């Protein structure tokens, strides 16, 4: 119990990731207030290099942008060049509530389990604004989401419970232990309606993650392999790295896989 408590504390407080600066002229910021969950969110849109209003870009929604947006943007630039692909439009969704409240599908550590309302905010309010204001593809197949830890939990929750929203999922060290593995429970209930869909799923974990993390992630990977034949999926283990350090490895791997699907 002591070990789990320490893990939860570190899970809530970590902010370790590589920092890379984005050219300021590529970043556009606005605030949006949700009528669905009453949150007010700072949104950072990162335009791809060589941006043109005459093109139609894929969109990638980035959770915890306060920590990870710069790094994700830098890696996307590298992958666009390395794979000779068009860049993507990044949307960093800032914290409108406590992140645990928005990302967890059940009450946890003071949060009230607002993941479903947060997903509705993204789908009904944020996506519609992005697709109205920017030259982007408007179909599910060209939308993706990336998140780590609680953000990874939310990405997996969207795959299970809001599958119509994104076509590409990157869940890095997702905290699938939350709610007695509620995401895995919900997956079984919704499997019949989700397995007909297609897209991609990148799942990752650090080799040295806390014991509580490992079993549900392994089970989720087996579920993807066994029941989702129309999804391209990849499972990656960051060797020698723990929960906090792993995303410096898993983010580049995830984006390499993601760009391969574009």
């Amino acid at each position: 119990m002591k070990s789990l408590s320490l893990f939860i504390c570190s899970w809530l407080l970590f902010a370790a990731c590589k920092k890379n600066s984005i050219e300021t002229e590529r970043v556009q910021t606005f605030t949006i207030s949700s009528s669905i969950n009453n949150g007010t969110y700072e949104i950072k849109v990162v335009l791809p290099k060589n941006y043109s209003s005459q093109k139609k870009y894929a969109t990638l929604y980035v959770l915890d942008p306060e920590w990870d947006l710069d790094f994700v943007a830098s890696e996307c630039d590298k992958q666009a060049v390395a794979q000779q692909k068009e860049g993507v439009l990044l949307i960093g969704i800032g914290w409108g509530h406590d992140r645990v409240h928005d990302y967890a599908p059940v009450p946890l550590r003071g949060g009230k389990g607002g993941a479903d309302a947060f997903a509705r905010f993204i789908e009904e309010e944020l996506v519609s604004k992005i697709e109205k204001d920017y030259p982007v593809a408007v179909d599910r197949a060209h939308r993706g989401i990336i998140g780590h830890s609680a953000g990874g939990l939310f990405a997996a929750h969207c795959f299970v419970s809001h599958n119509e929203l994104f076509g590409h999922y990157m869940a890095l060290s997702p905290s699938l232990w939350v709610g007695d593995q509620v995401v895995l429970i919900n997956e079984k209930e919704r499997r019949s309606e989700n397995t007909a869909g297609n897209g991609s799923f990148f799942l990752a974990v650090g080799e040295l993650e806390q014991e509580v993390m490992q079993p549900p992630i392994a089970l989720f990977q087996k579920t993807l392999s066994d029941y989702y034949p129309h999804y391209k999926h990849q499972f990656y283990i960051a060797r020698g790295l723990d929960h906090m350090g792993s995303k410096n490895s898993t983010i580049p791997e995830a984006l390499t896989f993601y760009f391969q699907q574009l």
Side-chain angles (χ1 to χ4, degrees), residues 92-165:
I93 310 174
W95 300 321
H97 295 286
D98 176 87
R99 65 188 290 271
V100 174
H101 172 82
D102 276 344
Y103 295 171
V106 294
L108 178 72
R109 302 290 292 185
K112 297 181 180 179
D116 285 318
F118 183 53
R120 284 187 56 213
F121 153 69
I122 295 173
E123 180 174 14
E124 298 175 26
E125 297 176 325
L126 180 57
V127 166
S128 60
K129 178 173 175 56
I130 293 296
E131 294 182 351
K132 178 175 70 74
D133 293 350
Y134 293 92
V136 297
V138 298
D139 57 314
R140 170 187 179 276
H142 289 89
R143 276 187 232 117
I145 185 169
I146 183 169
H148 176 268
S149 192
L153 170 69
F154 180 75
H157 173 69
C158 284
F159 173 79
V160 168
S161 299
H162 300 273
N163 191 264
E164 72 288 346
L165 183 50

Side-chain angles (χ1 to χ4, degrees), residues 182-216:
V182 65
V183 168
L184 292 166
I185 294 170
N186 291 340
E187 185 281 324
K188 289 181 181 179
E189 295 177 355
R190 294 179 167 89
R191 185 177 294 165
S192 61
E193 61 191 87
N194 288 338
T195 51
N198 56 48
S200 71
F201 203 111
F202 182 92
L203 181 64
V205 66
E207 183 182 26
L208 304 182
E209 299 261 9
Q210 292 275 351
E211 184 178 349
V212 69
M213 295 287 293
Q214 301 278 0

Side-chain angles (χ1 to χ4, degrees), residues 70 79 110 140 146 223 225 227 247 262:
D70 285 10
Q79 288 304 318
R140 170 187 179 276
I146 183 169
T223 297
S225 180
Y227 298 107
K247 63 180 173 177
L262 297 179

Side-chain angles (χ1 to χ4, degrees), residues 9 16 57-58 64 91 96 102 124 153 161 165 170 178 184 198 201 207 217 219 226 235-236 262:
C9 289
Y57 294 99
D64 292 321
I91 303 98
D102 276 344
E124 298 175 26
L153 170 69
S161 299
L165 183 50
M170 285 156 274
V178 166
L184 292 166
N198 56 48
F201 203 111
E207 183 182 26
I217 290 176
L219 182 56
D226 289 350
F235 181 49
Y236 175 73
L262 297 179

